Coordinates of all heavy atoms in Angstrom, one line a residue:
P1 N 0.8 -1.2 0.0 CA 0.0 0.0 0.0 C 0.9 1.3 0.0 O 2.0 1.3 0.6 CB -0.8 -0.1 1.3 CG -0.7 -1.5 1.7 CD 0.6 -2.0 1.1
P2 N 0.4 2.3 -0.6 CA 1.2 3.6 -0.7 C 1.3 4.3 0.7 O 0.4 4.1 1.5 CB 0.4 4.4 -1.7 CG -1.0 3.9 -1.6 CD -0.9 2.4 -1.3
S3 N 2.3 5.0 0.8 CA 2.5 5.8 2.0 C 2.2 7.3 1.7 O 2.5 7.8 0.6 CB 3.9 5.7 2.6 OG 4.1 4.4 3.0
H4 N 1.6 8.0 2.6 CA 1.3 9.4 2.4 C 2.6 10.2 2.4 O 3.5 10.0 3.3 CB 0.3 9.9 3.5 CG 0.0 11.3 3.5 ND1 -0.7 11.9 2.4 CD2 0.2 12.4 4.3 CE1 -0.9 13.2 2.6 NE2 -0.3 13.5 3.8
N5 N 2.7 11.2 1.5 CA 3.9 12.1 1.4 C 5.1 11.4 1.1 O 6.2 11.8 1.4 CB 4.1 12.9 2.7 CG 3.1 14.0 2.9 OD1 2.4 14.4 2.0 ND2 2.9 14.5 4.1
L6 N 5.0 10.3 0.4 CA 6.2 9.5 -0.1 C 6.0 9.2 -1.6 O 5.0 8.7 -2.0 CB 6.2 8.1 0.7 CG 7.4 7.3 0.3 CD1 8.7 7.9 0.8 CD2 7.3 5.9 1.0
E7 N 7.0 9.7 -2.3 CA 7.0 9.5 -3.8 C 8.2 8.8 -4.2 O 9.3 9.1 -3.9 CB 6.9 10.9 -4.4 CG 6.8 10.9 -5.9 CD 6.8 12.3 -6.5 OE1 6.2 13.2 -5.8 OE2 7.3 12.5 -7.5
M8 N 8.0 7.8 -5.1 CA 9.1 7.0 -5.6 C 9.4 7.5 -7.0 O 8.6 7.7 -7.9 CB 8.7 5.5 -5.7 CG 9.6 4.7 -6.5 SD 11.2 4.5 -5.8 CE 11.9 3.3 -6.9
K9 N 10.7 7.9 -7.2 CA 11.2 8.3 -8.5 C 12.4 7.4 -8.9 O 13.3 7.3 -8.2 CB 11.6 9.7 -8.5 CG 10.5 10.7 -8.4 CD 11.0 12.1 -8.5 CE 9.9 13.1 -8.3 NZ 10.3 14.5 -8.4
H10 N 12.3 6.7 -10.1 CA 13.3 5.9 -10.6 C 14.3 6.7 -11.4 O 13.8 7.3 -12.4 CB 12.8 4.7 -11.3 CG 13.9 3.8 -11.9 ND1 14.6 3.0 -11.1 CD2 14.3 3.7 -13.2 CE1 15.5 2.4 -11.9 NE2 15.3 2.8 -13.1
L11 N 15.5 6.8 -11.1 CA 16.5 7.5 -11.8 C 17.6 6.5 -12.3 O 18.4 6.1 -11.6 CB 17.2 8.6 -11.0 CG 16.3 9.6 -10.3 CD1 17.1 10.6 -9.4 CD2 15.6 10.5 -11.4
P12 N 17.5 6.2 -13.6 CA 18.4 5.2 -14.2 C 19.9 5.5 -13.9 O 20.3 6.7 -14.1 CB 18.1 5.2 -15.7 CG 16.7 5.8 -15.8 CD 16.6 6.7 -14.7
G13 N 20.6 4.6 -13.4 CA 22.0 4.7 -13.1 C 22.4 5.4 -11.8 O 23.5 5.4 -11.4
A14 N 21.4 5.9 -11.1 CA 21.6 6.5 -9.8 C 21.5 5.5 -8.7 O 20.7 4.5 -8.8 CB 20.6 7.6 -9.6
D15 N 22.3 5.6 -7.6 CA 22.1 4.7 -6.5 C 20.9 5.1 -5.7 O 20.6 6.3 -5.6 CB 23.3 4.9 -5.5 CG 24.6 4.3 -6.1 OD1 24.5 3.3 -6.9 OD2 25.7 4.7 -5.7
P16 N 20.1 4.1 -5.3 CA 18.8 4.5 -4.6 C 19.1 5.1 -3.3 O 20.0 4.7 -2.5 CB 18.1 3.1 -4.4 CG 19.2 2.1 -4.5 CD 20.3 2.7 -5.4
E17 N 18.3 6.2 -3.0 CA 18.4 6.9 -1.7 C 17.1 7.5 -1.4 O 16.3 7.8 -2.3 CB 19.5 7.9 -1.7 CG 19.4 9.0 -2.8 CD 20.5 10.0 -2.8 OE1 21.5 9.8 -2.0 OE2 20.5 10.8 -3.7
L18 N 16.8 7.6 -0.1 CA 15.6 8.3 0.4 C 16.0 9.7 0.7 O 17.0 10.0 1.5 CB 15.1 7.6 1.7 CG 13.9 8.2 2.3 CD1 12.7 8.1 1.4 CD2 13.6 7.5 3.6
V19 N 15.3 10.7 0.1 CA 15.6 12.1 0.3 C 14.5 12.7 1.1 O 13.3 12.7 0.6 CB 15.8 12.8 -1.1 CG1 16.1 14.3 -0.8 CG2 16.9 12.2 -1.9
L20 N 14.8 13.2 2.3 CA 13.8 13.7 3.2 C 13.8 15.3 2.9 O 14.8 15.9 2.9 CB 14.1 13.5 4.6 CG 14.2 12.0 5.0 CD1 14.6 11.8 6.4 CD2 12.8 11.3 4.7
L21 N 12.5 15.8 2.7 CA 12.4 17.2 2.4 C 11.5 17.8 3.5 O 10.7 17.2 4.1 CB 11.6 17.4 1.1 CG 12.3 16.8 -0.1 CD1 11.4 17.0 -1.4 CD2 13.7 17.4 -0.4
S22 N 11.8 19.1 3.8 CA 10.9 19.8 4.7 C 9.6 20.2 4.1 O 9.4 20.0 2.9 CB 11.6 21.1 5.2 OG 11.6 22.1 4.1
H23 N 8.7 20.8 4.9 CA 7.4 21.2 4.3 C 7.6 22.3 3.2 O 6.7 22.6 2.5 CB 6.5 21.7 5.4 CG 6.9 22.9 6.1 ND1 8.0 22.9 7.0 CD2 6.5 24.2 6.0 CE1 8.1 24.1 7.4 NE2 7.3 24.9 6.9
R24 N 8.8 22.9 3.2 CA 9.2 23.9 2.2 C 9.9 23.3 1.0 O 10.5 24.0 0.2 CB 10.0 25.0 2.8 CG 9.3 25.8 3.9 CD 10.3 26.9 4.4 NE 9.6 27.6 5.5 CZ 10.2 27.8 6.7 NH1 11.5 27.4 6.9 NH2 9.6 28.5 7.6
Y25 N 10.0 22.0 1.0 CA 10.7 21.2 -0.1 C 12.2 21.5 0.0 O 12.9 21.4 -1.1 CB 10.1 21.5 -1.5 CG 8.7 21.1 -1.6 CD1 7.6 22.0 -1.4 CD2 8.3 19.8 -1.7 CE1 6.3 21.6 -1.5 CE2 7.0 19.3 -1.8 CZ 6.0 20.3 -1.7 OH 4.7 19.9 -1.7
E26 N 12.7 21.8 1.1 CA 14.2 21.9 1.3 C 14.7 20.6 1.8 O 14.1 19.9 2.6 CB 14.5 23.0 2.4 CG 14.0 24.4 2.0 CD 14.0 25.4 3.1 OE1 13.8 25.0 4.3 OE2 14.2 26.6 2.8
E27 N 15.9 20.2 1.2 CA 16.4 18.9 1.5 C 16.9 18.9 3.0 O 17.7 19.8 3.4 CB 17.6 18.6 0.6 CG 18.2 17.2 0.8 CD 19.2 16.9 -0.2 OE1 19.0 17.1 -1.4 OE2 20.3 16.4 0.3
L28 N 16.5 17.9 3.7 CA 16.9 17.8 5.1 C 18.0 16.7 5.3 O 18.9 16.8 6.1 CB 15.7 17.4 6.0 CG 14.6 18.4 6.1 CD1 13.4 17.8 6.8 CD2 15.1 19.7 6.7
E29 N 17.8 15.6 4.6 CA 18.7 14.4 4.8 C 18.6 13.5 3.6 O 17.6 13.4 3.0 CB 18.3 13.7 6.1 CG 19.2 12.6 6.5 CD 18.7 12.0 7.8 OE1 17.8 12.5 8.5 OE2 19.4 11.0 8.2
R30 N 19.7 12.8 3.3 CA 19.7 11.7 2.3 C 20.2 10.4 3.0 O 21.2 10.4 3.6 CB 20.7 12.1 1.2 CG 20.2 13.1 0.2 CD 21.2 13.4 -0.9 NE 20.6 14.4 -1.8 CZ 20.0 14.2 -2.9 NH1 20.0 12.9 -3.4 NH2 19.5 15.1 -3.6
I31 N 19.4 9.4 2.8 CA 19.7 8.1 3.4 C 19.9 7.1 2.2 O 19.0 6.8 1.5 CB 18.5 7.6 4.3 CG1 18.2 8.7 5.3 CG2 18.8 6.3 4.9 CD1 17.0 8.4 6.1
P32 N 21.1 6.5 2.1 CA 21.4 5.6 1.1 C 20.6 4.3 1.3 O 20.5 3.8 2.4 CB 22.9 5.3 1.2 CG 23.4 6.1 2.3 CD 22.3 6.8 2.9
L33 N 20.1 3.7 0.3 CA 19.3 2.5 0.4 C 19.9 1.3 -0.3 O 19.3 0.2 -0.2 CB 17.9 2.7 -0.2 CG 17.1 3.9 0.3 CD1 15.8 4.1 -0.4 CD2 16.8 3.7 1.8
S34 N 21.0 1.4 -1.0 CA 21.6 0.4 -1.7 C 21.9 -0.9 -1.0 O 21.7 -2.0 -1.5 CB 23.0 0.8 -2.3 OG 22.8 1.9 -3.2
D35 N 22.3 -0.8 0.3 CA 22.6 -2.0 1.1 C 21.4 -2.5 1.9 O 21.6 -3.4 2.8 CB 23.8 -1.7 2.0 CG 25.1 -1.4 1.2 OD1 25.2 -1.9 0.1 OD2 25.9 -0.6 1.7
M36 N 20.2 -2.0 1.7 CA 19.1 -2.4 2.5 C 18.1 -3.3 1.7 O 18.0 -3.2 0.5 CB 18.3 -1.1 2.9 CG 19.1 -0.2 3.8 SD 18.2 1.3 4.2 CE 17.1 0.7 5.5
T37 N 17.5 -4.2 2.4 CA 16.5 -5.1 1.8 C 15.2 -4.3 1.8 O 15.0 -3.3 2.4 CB 16.3 -6.4 2.6 OG1 15.8 -6.0 3.9 CG2 17.6 -7.1 2.8
R38 N 14.2 -4.9 1.0 CA 12.9 -4.3 0.9 C 12.3 -4.2 2.3 O 11.7 -3.1 2.7 CB 12.0 -5.1 0.0 CG 10.7 -4.5 -0.2 CD 9.8 -5.5 -1.1 NE 8.7 -4.7 -1.7 CZ 8.7 -4.3 -2.9 NH1 9.6 -4.7 -3.8 NH2 7.7 -3.6 -3.4
E39 N 12.4 -5.2 3.1 CA 11.9 -5.2 4.5 C 12.5 -4.1 5.3 O 11.8 -3.4 6.1 CB 12.1 -6.6 5.1 CG 11.2 -7.7 4.5 CD 11.8 -8.2 3.2 OE1 13.0 -8.1 3.0 OE2 11.0 -8.8 2.4
E40 N 13.8 -3.9 5.2 CA 14.5 -2.9 6.0 C 14.1 -1.5 5.5 O 13.9 -0.6 6.4 CB 16.0 -3.0 5.8 CG 16.6 -4.3 6.5 CD 18.1 -4.5 6.1 OE1 18.5 -4.2 5.0 OE2 18.8 -5.0 7.0
I41 N 13.9 -1.3 4.3 CA 13.4 0.0 3.8 C 12.0 0.3 4.3 O 11.7 1.4 4.7 CB 13.4 0.0 2.2 CG1 14.9 0.0 1.8 CG2 12.7 1.3 1.7 CD1 15.1 -0.2 0.3
N42 N 11.1 -0.8 4.2 CA 9.7 -0.6 4.8 C 9.8 -0.2 6.2 O 9.0 0.6 6.7 CB 8.9 -1.8 4.5 CG 8.5 -2.0 3.1 OD1 8.4 -1.0 2.3 ND2 8.3 -3.2 2.6
Q43 N 10.7 -0.9 7.0 CA 10.8 -0.6 8.4 C 11.3 0.8 8.6 O 10.8 1.5 9.5 CB 11.8 -1.6 9.1 CG 11.9 -1.4 10.6 CD 10.7 -1.7 11.4 OE1 9.9 -2.5 11.0 NE2 10.5 -1.0 12.4
L44 N 12.3 1.3 7.9 CA 12.8 2.6 8.0 C 11.7 3.6 7.7 O 11.5 4.6 8.5 CB 13.9 2.8 6.9 CG 14.5 4.2 6.8 CD1 15.1 4.7 8.1 CD2 15.5 4.3 5.6
V45 N 10.9 3.4 6.6 CA 9.8 4.4 6.3 C 8.8 4.4 7.5 O 8.4 5.5 7.8 CB 9.1 3.9 5.0 CG1 7.8 4.7 4.8 CG2 10.1 4.2 3.8
Q46 N 8.5 3.3 8.1 CA 7.6 3.3 9.2 C 8.2 4.0 10.4 O 7.6 4.8 11.1 CB 7.3 1.9 9.6 CG 6.2 1.7 10.7 CD 5.9 0.3 11.0 OE1 6.5 -0.6 10.5 NE2 4.9 0.1 11.8
E47 N 9.5 3.8 10.7 CA 10.2 4.4 11.8 C 10.3 5.9 11.6 O 10.3 6.7 12.6 CB 11.6 3.8 12.0 CG 11.6 2.4 12.6 CD 12.9 1.8 12.5 OE1 13.9 2.4 12.1 OE2 13.0 0.6 13.0
L48 N 10.4 6.4 10.4 CA 10.4 7.8 10.1 C 9.1 8.5 10.3 O 9.0 9.7 10.3 CB 11.0 8.1 8.7 CG 12.5 7.8 8.5 CD1 12.9 7.8 7.1 CD2 13.3 8.7 9.3
G49 N 8.0 7.7 10.4 CA 6.7 8.3 10.6 C 5.8 8.5 9.4 O 4.8 9.2 9.5
F50 N 6.2 7.9 8.3 CA 5.3 8.0 7.2 C 4.0 7.2 7.5 O 4.0 6.1 8.1 CB 5.9 7.4 5.9 CG 7.0 8.3 5.3 CD1 8.3 8.1 5.7 CD2 6.7 9.3 4.4 CE1 9.3 9.0 5.2 CE2 7.6 10.1 3.8 CZ 9.0 9.9 4.2
Y51 N 2.9 7.7 7.0 CA 1.6 7.1 7.2 C 1.3 6.2 6.1 O 1.3 6.6 4.9 CB 0.5 8.1 7.4 CG -0.9 7.5 7.5 CD1 -1.3 7.1 8.8 CD2 -1.8 7.5 6.5 CE1 -2.6 6.5 9.0 CE2 -3.1 6.9 6.7 CZ -3.4 6.4 7.9 OH -4.7 5.9 8.1
R52 N 1.0 4.9 6.4 CA 0.7 3.9 5.3 C -0.8 3.8 5.2 O -1.5 3.5 6.1 CB 1.3 2.5 5.7 CG 0.9 1.5 4.6 CD 1.7 0.2 4.8 NE 2.9 0.3 4.0 CZ 3.8 -0.6 3.9 NH1 3.7 -1.6 4.7 NH2 4.8 -0.4 3.1
K53 N -1.3 4.1 3.9 CA -2.7 4.1 3.6 C -3.1 2.7 3.3 O -2.4 1.9 2.8 CB -3.0 5.0 2.5 CG -2.6 6.5 2.7 CD -3.2 7.4 1.7 CE -2.5 7.4 0.4 NZ -3.0 8.5 -0.5
E54 N -4.4 2.4 3.7 CA -5.0 1.1 3.4 C -5.2 0.9 1.9 O -4.9 -0.2 1.4 CB -6.3 0.9 4.1 CG -6.2 0.9 5.6 CD -5.4 -0.3 6.1 OE1 -5.6 -1.4 5.6 OE2 -4.7 -0.2 7.1
T55 N -5.6 1.9 1.2 CA -5.8 1.9 -0.2 C -5.3 3.3 -0.8 O -5.2 4.2 0.0 CB -7.3 1.8 -0.6 OG1 -8.0 2.9 -0.1 CG2 -7.9 0.5 -0.1
P56 N -4.9 3.3 -2.1 CA -4.4 4.6 -2.6 C -5.3 5.8 -2.4 O -4.8 6.9 -2.2 CB -4.2 4.3 -4.1 CG -4.1 2.8 -4.2 CD -4.9 2.3 -3.1
D57 N -6.6 5.6 -2.4 CA -7.5 6.8 -2.2 C -8.1 6.9 -0.8 O -9.0 7.7 -0.6 CB -8.7 6.7 -3.2 CG -9.5 5.4 -3.1 OD1 -9.0 4.4 -2.4 OD2 -10.6 5.3 -3.6
A58 N -7.5 6.2 0.1 CA -8.0 6.3 1.5 C -7.6 7.6 2.1 O -6.6 8.2 1.8 CB -7.3 5.2 2.4
P59 N -8.5 8.2 3.0 CA -8.2 9.4 3.6 C -7.1 9.3 4.6 O -6.8 8.2 5.1 CB -9.5 9.8 4.3 CG -10.2 8.5 4.5 CD -9.8 7.6 3.4
V60 N -6.4 10.4 4.8 CA -5.3 10.5 5.7 C -5.7 11.2 7.0 O -6.2 12.4 6.8 CB -4.0 11.1 5.1 CG1 -2.9 11.3 6.1 CG2 -3.6 10.3 3.9
P61 N -5.5 10.7 8.2 CA -5.9 11.4 9.4 C -5.2 12.8 9.5 O -4.1 12.9 9.0 CB -5.5 10.5 10.5 CG -5.4 9.1 9.9 CD -5.0 9.4 8.5
E62 N -5.9 13.7 10.0 CA -5.3 15.1 10.1 C -3.9 15.2 10.7 O -3.1 15.9 10.3 CB -6.3 16.0 10.9 CG -5.9 17.5 10.9 CD -6.9 18.4 11.5 OE1 -8.1 18.0 11.6 OE2 -6.5 19.4 12.0
E63 N -3.7 14.4 11.8 CA -2.4 14.4 12.5 C -1.3 13.9 11.6 O -0.1 14.1 11.9 CB -2.5 13.7 13.8 CG -2.7 12.2 13.7 CD -4.2 11.8 13.8 OE1 -5.0 12.6 13.5 OE2 -4.4 10.6 14.1
F64 N -1.6 13.2 10.5 CA -0.6 12.7 9.6 C -0.5 13.5 8.3 O 0.3 13.2 7.4 CB -0.8 11.3 9.3 CG -0.6 10.3 10.4 CD1 -1.7 9.8 11.1 CD2 0.7 10.0 10.8 CE1 -1.5 9.0 12.2 CE2 0.8 9.1 11.9 CZ -0.2 8.6 12.6
Q65 N -1.2 14.6 8.1 CA -1.2 15.3 6.9 C 0.2 15.8 6.5 O 0.5 15.8 5.3 CB -2.2 16.5 7.0 CG -3.6 16.1 6.9 CD -4.0 15.5 5.6 OE1 -3.7 15.9 4.5 NE2 -4.8 14.4 5.7
F66 N 0.9 16.3 7.5 CA 2.3 16.8 7.2 C 3.4 15.8 7.6 O 4.5 16.2 7.6 CB 2.5 18.2 7.8 CG 1.5 19.2 7.2 CD1 0.4 19.6 8.0 CD2 1.7 19.7 6.0 CE1 -0.4 20.5 7.4 CE2 0.9 20.6 5.4 CZ -0.2 21.1 6.2
A67 N 3.0 14.7 8.0 CA 4.0 13.7 8.5 C 4.8 13.2 7.3 O 4.2 13.1 6.2 CB 3.3 12.5 9.2
P68 N 6.0 12.9 7.5 CA 6.8 12.9 8.7 C 7.6 14.1 8.9 O 8.7 14.1 9.4 CB 7.7 11.6 8.5 CG 8.0 11.7 7.1 CD 6.7 12.2 6.4
A69 N 7.1 15.3 8.4 CA 7.9 16.5 8.5 C 8.4 16.7 9.9 O 7.7 16.5 10.9 CB 7.0 17.7 8.1
R70 N 9.6 17.2 10.0 CA 10.2 17.4 11.3 C 9.5 18.7 11.9 O 9.0 19.5 11.2 CB 11.7 17.7 11.2 CG 12.4 16.4 10.8 CD 13.8 16.6 10.7 NE 14.5 15.4 10.3 CZ 15.7 15.2 10.1 NH1 16.5 16.3 10.2 NH2 16.2 14.1 9.8
P71 N 9.5 18.8 13.2 CA 8.9 20.0 13.9 C 9.5 21.2 13.4 O 10.7 21.2 13.1 CB 9.1 19.8 15.3 CG 9.4 18.3 15.5 CD 10.0 17.9 14.2
L72 N 8.8 22.3 13.3 CA 9.3 23.6 12.8 C 10.5 24.1 13.6 O 11.4 24.7 13.1 CB 8.3 24.7 12.8 CG 7.1 24.5 11.8 CD1 6.1 25.5 12.0 CD2 7.7 24.5 10.4
A73 N 10.6 23.7 14.9 CA 11.7 24.1 15.8 C 13.0 23.6 15.2 O 14.1 24.2 15.5 CB 11.5 23.7 17.2
T74 N 13.1 22.5 14.5 CA 14.3 22.0 14.0 C 14.8 22.6 12.7 O 15.9 22.4 12.2 CB 14.3 20.4 13.8 OG1 13.3 20.2 12.8 CG2 13.9 19.7 15.1
L75 N 13.9 23.4 12.1 CA 14.2 24.1 10.8 C 14.8 25.5 11.1 O 14.3 26.1 12.0 CB 13.0 24.1 9.9 CG 12.4 22.8 9.5 CD1 11.1 23.1 8.8 CD2 13.3 22.0 8.7
P76 N 15.7 25.9 10.3 CA 16.2 27.3 10.5 C 15.2 28.3 10.1 O 14.4 28.1 9.2 CB 17.4 27.3 9.5 CG 17.2 26.3 8.5 CD 16.4 25.2 9.2
P77 N 15.1 29.4 10.9 CA 14.1 30.4 10.5 C 14.4 31.0 9.2 O 15.5 31.2 8.8 CB 14.2 31.4 11.6 CG 15.5 31.2 12.3 CD 15.9 29.7 12.0
R78 N 13.3 31.3 8.5 CA 13.5 31.8 7.1 C 12.6 33.0 7.0 O 11.4 32.9 7.0 CB 13.1 30.8 6.1 CG 13.5 31.1 4.7 CD 13.3 29.9 3.9 NE 14.0 30.1 2.6 CZ 13.6 29.6 1.5 NH1 12.6 28.7 1.5 NH2 14.2 29.8 0.4
Q79 N 13.2 34.2 6.8 CA 12.4 35.4 6.7 C 12.9 36.2 5.5 O 14.1 36.3 5.3 CB 12.5 36.3 7.9 CG 11.9 35.6 9.1 CD 12.1 36.5 10.4 OE1 12.9 37.4 10.4 NE2 11.3 36.2 11.4
A80 N 12.0 36.7 4.7 CA 12.3 37.6 3.6 C 12.6 39.0 4.0 O 11.9 39.5 4.8 CB 11.2 37.5 2.5
P81 N 13.6 39.6 3.5 CA 13.9 41.0 3.9 C 12.8 41.9 3.3 O 12.3 41.6 2.2 CB 15.3 41.3 3.3 CG 15.5 40.2 2.3 CD 14.7 39.1 2.6
T82 N 12.6 43.0 3.9 CA 11.7 44.0 3.4 C 12.3 44.9 2.4 O 13.5 44.7 2.1 CB 11.2 44.9 4.6 OG1 12.3 45.6 5.1 CG2 10.4 44.1 5.7
T83 N 11.6 45.8 1.8 CA 12.2 46.6 0.7 C 13.3 47.5 1.2 O 14.2 47.9 0.4 CB 11.1 47.5 0.0 OG1 10.5 48.2 1.1 CG2 10.1 46.7 -0.7
D84 N 13.4 47.8 2.5 CA 14.5 48.6 3.0 C 15.7 47.7 3.4 O 16.6 48.2 4.0 CB 14.0 49.5 4.2 CG 13.5 48.7 5.4 OD1 13.5 47.4 5.3 OD2 13.1 49.3 6.4
G85 N 15.6 46.4 3.2 CA 16.7 45.5 3.5 C 16.7 44.9 4.9 O 17.5 44.1 5.2
K86 N 15.7 45.3 5.7 CA 15.7 44.8 7.1 C 14.7 43.6 7.1 O 13.8 43.5 6.4 CB 15.1 45.9 8.0 CG 16.1 47.1 8.1 CD 15.5 48.1 9.1 CE 16.5 49.3 9.2 NZ 16.0 50.4 10.0
T87 N 15.0 42.7 8.0 CA 14.2 41.5 8.2 C 13.0 41.9 9.1 O 13.2 42.4 10.2 CB 15.0 40.4 8.8 OG1 16.1 40.1 8.0 CG2 14.1 39.1 9.0
P88 N 11.7 41.6 8.7 CA 10.6 41.9 9.5 C 10.5 41.1 10.8 O 11.0 40.0 10.8 CB 9.4 41.6 8.6 CG 9.9 40.6 7.7 CD 11.4 40.9 7.5
P89 N 10.0 41.6 11.8 CA 9.8 40.8 13.1 C 8.9 39.6 12.8 O 8.0 39.7 12.1 CB 9.2 41.8 14.1 CG 8.6 42.8 13.3 CD 9.3 42.9 12.0
E90 N 9.2 38.5 13.5 CA 8.4 37.3 13.3 C 7.1 37.4 14.1 O 7.1 37.9 15.2 CB 9.2 36.1 13.8 CG 8.6 34.8 13.4 CD 9.5 33.6 13.7 OE1 10.6 33.7 13.3 OE2 9.0 32.6 14.3
R91 N 6.0 37.0 13.5 CA 4.7 37.1 14.2 C 4.6 35.8 15.1 O 4.6 34.7 14.6 CB 3.6 37.1 13.2 CG 3.6 38.4 12.4 CD 2.4 38.4 11.5 NE 2.7 39.2 10.4 CZ 2.4 39.0 9.1 NH1 1.6 38.0 8.8 NH2 2.7 39.9 8.2
E92 N 4.4 36.1 16.4 CA 4.3 35.0 17.3 C 3.0 34.2 17.2 O 2.0 34.8 16.9 CB 4.4 35.5 18.8 CG 4.6 34.5 19.8 CD 4.9 35.0 21.1 OE1 5.7 36.0 21.2 OE2 4.3 34.5 22.1
G93 N 3.1 32.9 17.2 CA 1.9 32.0 17.2 C 1.4 31.8 15.8 O 0.4 31.1 15.6
Q94 N 2.0 32.2 14.8 CA 1.6 32.0 13.4 C 2.6 31.1 12.7 O 3.8 31.1 12.9 CB 1.4 33.3 12.6 CG 0.2 34.1 13.0 CD 0.0 35.2 12.0 OE1 0.9 35.6 11.3 NE2 -1.2 35.7 12.0
H95 N 2.1 30.3 11.8 CA 2.9 29.4 11.0 C 3.7 30.3 10.1 O 3.2 31.3 9.5 CB 2.0 28.5 10.1 CG 2.8 27.4 9.4 ND1 3.5 27.7 8.3 CD2 3.0 26.1 9.7 CE1 4.1 26.6 7.9 NE2 3.8 25.6 8.8
P96 N 5.0 30.1 9.9 CA 5.9 31.0 9.1 C 5.5 31.1 7.6 O 5.9 32.1 7.0 CB 7.3 30.4 9.2 CG 7.1 29.0 9.7 CD 5.8 28.9 10.4
D97 N 4.8 30.2 7.1 CA 4.4 30.3 5.7 C 3.0 30.9 5.5 O 2.6 31.0 4.4 CB 4.4 28.9 5.0 CG 5.8 28.3 4.9 OD1 6.7 29.1 4.9 OD2 5.9 27.1 4.7
L98 N 2.4 31.3 6.6 CA 1.1 32.0 6.4 C 1.2 33.5 6.3 O 2.0 34.1 6.8 CB 0.1 31.6 7.6 CG -0.2 30.1 7.6 CD1 -1.1 29.8 8.8 CD2 -0.9 29.6 6.4

């Protein structure tokens, strides 16, 4: 069964690896898969927190919508400078992408 937020891309000639991305599609980590069995890869995906759907069109519970994204606290803050070149103050309690 497919996992939510997990996409398989076959790149001919490339060594297989799992690339973890943030909710902003920034690369967080690369995990080589060449020396792993299918069972080990499935276990890794489960340990990382990917949600496995029962069927491809099954709904995903709300708490898993952004899984396995790491908590925002582990990501570096990202703020765009204003037109005067200064960084605006961060709004407390709001998601940084809103």
Side-chain angles (χ1 to χ4, degrees):
S3 294
H4 178 65
N5 287 342
L6 182 65
E7 181 179 328
M8 166 68 176
K9 290 185 180 179
H10 177 73
L11 303 175
D15 288 334
E17 59 186 356
L18 178 63
V19 181
L20 301 176
L21 304 175
S22 73
H23 66 286
R24 295 182 184 133
Y25 298 99
E26 297 167 327
E27 186 176 312
L28 298 173
E29 185 176 357
R30 286 181 178 260
I31 302 170
L33 303 175
S34 297
D35 296 331
M36 298 175 77
T37 66
R38 181 184 203 106
E39 292 78 24
E40 290 171 328
I41 293 169
N42 286 335
Q43 182 65 33
L44 173 65
V45 167
Q46 185 177 7
E47 288 171 1
L48 289 171
F50 285 91
Y51 178 78
R52 179 169 265 179
K53 299 194 284 185
E54 294 294 323
T55 62
D57 58 344
V60 176
E62 187 175 334
E63 65 268 22
F64 291 103
Q65 287 296 317
F66 297 104
R70 293 183 179 174
L72 292 176
T74 64
L75 299 174
R78 191 170 194 209
Q79 296 177 342
T82 60
T83 53
D84 63 0
K86 295 180 181 176
T87 302
E90 192 171 313
R91 294 183 205 144
E92 193 173 315
Q94 285 191 340
H95 190 281
D97 289 340
L98 297 179

